[in-house]
Amino acid sequence: MPPTSPTPVNRDEAPVRERGDACPGALRLHAADDGRLARLRLPAGLLTYRQAEALATAAERLGDGRLDITSRGNVQLRGLGESCGGELAELLYEAGLLPSERHERVRNVVASPLAGLDGIPRADVRLWARELDALLCASEAATALSGRFLFALDDGRGDVAALGADVTLLAQPDGSAVLHTGANGSGLRVSAGDAPRAALLAAETFLTVAEASGSGAWRVRELPAGHGLDAAVTTGLATAGIATEPVAEYGAEYRAGYATEPGAAYGAEYGAEYGADVARPEAGPPVPGPVHSPDGTVALSVYAPLGRLSVAQWRLLLSAGERGTNDRTLRVTPWRGVIVPGLDPATAHDLLDRLRTAGLITDPHSPWHNVGACTGRPGCAKALTDVRADAAGAVTATRPGGPPAARPGDLPATNPGDLPVYWSGCARRCGHPQGSWVDVVATGEGGYDISVRGHLLRATTGPELAEAVATARKPTTARTTPVTR
């Protein structure tokens, strides 16, 4: 079997959902220990500068002065007052961020953030995202989707296709798209023009199947065995007049079409180990730093340390983009980063250095890169400790001698091949990444369990914590014999 994510406790896999979805939104605020929380859906992570400034204003005027980027490329505002909901809604409406009040929590759409920027010709998934969003907002049935149901629009490189979405569109070299539901390796080929409509129909069909199963499922993976979703989707597409063609599991057509593309090495290794017929294109997240575009401009890929940006850092991204020639948009990524496209090459390097100085992650060697954490204490009542402080302490503790550094760019280089690490304040592991990662979970009284791919490597506390986490991140560690309690 393929490697799996280290999630000993998976809160998404309840056999039966007996309550309604309480996922927060921009209008339904969540009561946290640090105030109200608003989660704003950004289909494909796209934001105009005007919309980005509206979020900065909301965080500054109504919240704690920071913006959190989620693992779905959405933005959260924290520390909101009890009675700010009306003012927040007005700000968002005026900026065009709430096209449909009834659909605002179901607009969960991630898309390949480098689409059209790095010289790899594929489908423009931004167009798919805009059409799918409009279809969602016009669908009465779609209002019943959970706030956790996820669409992924992949331009063919395999980046967001690896995020475990409920409905995935994967662009093909011949201009078509393959529609996948859940973790189903097989799929249905549809035309690019029909792709957004097919994705919506698959989601609406899921709702019908989930209701018939009596499971109350919020996600495709929660459906009981023998649910028949794939057959129902095939029938529904035919009824809607959408032509389809069955596609076998990821195999030779993908290796042939993407042999020279990013992720091809992984696909070859994956196929060799698990059988040639399951190989698939898979690229990683955008690398921090400059991205050179075919039109001669440069895009900047930067990350937020632990997924949080101050209003000042957020506005610096806007000021950087204003010096370029782009369409005045930002792209928020599901890896808690931001892409600023369309910059003048003559000024891009200077701007990147300014962003680094401001504390953003601009280099894959930064020790803050691929380090994530949930909210933890004091913002979350369920958390057992302040995991953000402990994660930051573990990063800064890697500096040989002297006091901890103030900025990510001041710290010693790390190996970009190290596994990502995610710190969780409790066993729920909110916001954890997909794929292989080092799982650091608080156990109370300052202790943590550290594991890789579900295998416990160490339960530790105190000053040895940073060393234990650093050791676990090494690729060789992930292949060692599991350590039991």
Side-chain angles (χ1 to χ4, degrees):
M1 294 178 62
T4 57
S5 175
T7 51
V9 178
N10 192 332
R11 59 194 177 95
D12 288 329
E13 294 185 352
V16 177
R17 295 284 190 184
E18 297 180 345
R19 61 181 177 83
D21 177 21
C23 202
L27 302 178
R28 179 194 287 180
L29 306 187
H30 171 71
D33 273 18
D34 58 349
R36 299 281 174 174
L37 177 153
R39 182 176 300 159
L40 184 65
R41 270 66 176 188
L42 306 176
L46 296 175
L47 275 174
T48 67
Y49 283 11
R50 176 170 170 262
Q51 291 170 336
E53 177 56 35
L55 292 181
T57 299
E60 189 174 51
R61 184 190 304 172
L62 306 174
D64 64 2
R66 293 183 176 273
L67 302 97
D68 288 4
I69 300 178
T70 76
S71 60
R72 294 182 167 192
N74 296 320
V75 169
Q76 288 185 167
L77 306 176
R78 301 190 67 96
L80 298 168
E82 292 284 339
S83 59
C84 76
E87 185 176 357
L88 174 63
E90 184 178 354
L91 273 171
L92 300 178
Y93 276 123
E94 290 178 351
L97 288 167
L98 291 176
S100 172
E101 181 174 330
R102 300 184 64 218
H103 295 82
E104 62 98 1
R105 294 189 312 122
V106 306
R107 301 167 67 226
N108 288 304
V109 182
V110 296
S112 300
L114 291 181
L117 296 179
D118 56 357
I120 300 176
R122 296 186 175 95
D124 189 344
V125 291
R126 293 172 299 170
L127 297 179
W128 283 357
R130 292 188 180 101
E131 183 176 350
L132 176 57
D133 187 33
L135 291 169
L136 271 172
C137 291
S139 168
E140 178 64 27
T143 60
L145 288 172
S146 161
R148 301 182 186 183
F149 194 92
L150 180 64
F151 297 87
L153 311 182
D154 196 299
D155 71 351
R157 73 188 68 217
D159 53 356
V160 297
L163 295 181
D166 298 282
V167 175
T168 299
L169 289 175
L170 184 62
Q172 302 300 296
D174 63 1
S176 65
V178 173
L179 172 72
H180 296 279
T181 54
N184 185 8
S186 59
L188 294 171
R189 188 188 305 276
V190 298
S191 71
D194 286 332
R197 190 159 61 103
L200 174 65
L201 190 146
E204 293 174 337
T205 304
F206 159 78
L207 290 170
T208 301
V209 172
E211 182 178 8
S213 73
S215 65
W218 295 345
R219 307 289 308 276
V220 169
R221 64 171 172 260
E222 295 175 6
L223 290 172
H227 50 72
L229 175 60
D230 295 333
V233 169
T234 300
T235 300
L237 291 173
T239 302
I242 297 177
T244 64
E245 175 188 345
V247 176
E249 291 193 2
Y250 303 110
E253 65 175 297
Y254 294 97
R255 292 195 300 278
Y258 299 99
T260 60
E261 305 295 345
Y266 175 88
E269 178 183 354
Y270 190 103
E273 184 174 359
Y274 300 109
D277 289 340
V278 297
R280 55 176 279 186
E282 183 166 329
V287 175
V291 179
H292 295 274
S293 300
D295 63 1
T297 63
V298 174
L300 296 184
S301 170
V302 299
Y303 285 77
L306 302 182
R308 302 206 83 192
L309 289 168
S310 68
V311 167
Q313 290 172 322
W314 184 259
R315 286 193 169 124
L316 183 57
L317 288 170
L318 294 179
S319 69
E322 286 172 351
R323 298 173 61 180
T325 60
N326 68 359
D327 55 2
R328 297 179 64 79
T329 61
L330 299 179
R331 303 184 186 186
V332 182
T333 81
W335 298 278
R336 297 182 169 89
V338 180
I339 306 293
V340 185
L343 303 180
D344 184 343
T347 60
H349 178 77
D350 174 63
L351 294 174
L352 194 66
D353 189 62
R354 290 174 58 207
L355 294 170
R356 180 197 65 81
T357 301
L360 300 181
I361 300 168
T362 61
D363 189 299
H365 295 278
S366 167
W368 291 89
H369 184 42
N370 283 332
V371 179
C374 72
T375 297
R377 285 287 187 182
C380 178
K382 297 183 182 296
L384 301 176
T385 188
D386 186 346
V387 289
R388 287 181 178 270
D390 290 343
V395 170
T396 56
T398 63
R399 188 179 188 184
R407 301 192 308 266
D410 293 335
L411 296 169
T414 58
N415 181 2
D418 288 352
L419 289 174
V421 57
Y422 194 79
W423 296 68
S424 300
C426 71
R428 300 195 315 157
R429 296 168 170 82
C430 293
H432 69 73
Q434 297 290 322
S436 295
W437 44 284
V438 177
D439 192 23
V440 185
V441 182
T443 58
E445 299 181 355
Y448 286 89
D449 280 353
I450 304 172
S451 57
V452 181
R453 297 191 178 101
H455 304 315
L456 184 70
L457 298 178
R458 197 156 182 180
T460 186
T461 186
E464 65 180 7
L465 181 60
E467 180 182 355
V469 171
T471 300
R473 296 188 67 185
K474 301 301 178 185
T476 53
T477 304
R479 294 192 291 268
T480 60
T481 303
V483 177
T484 58
R485 291 180 184 270

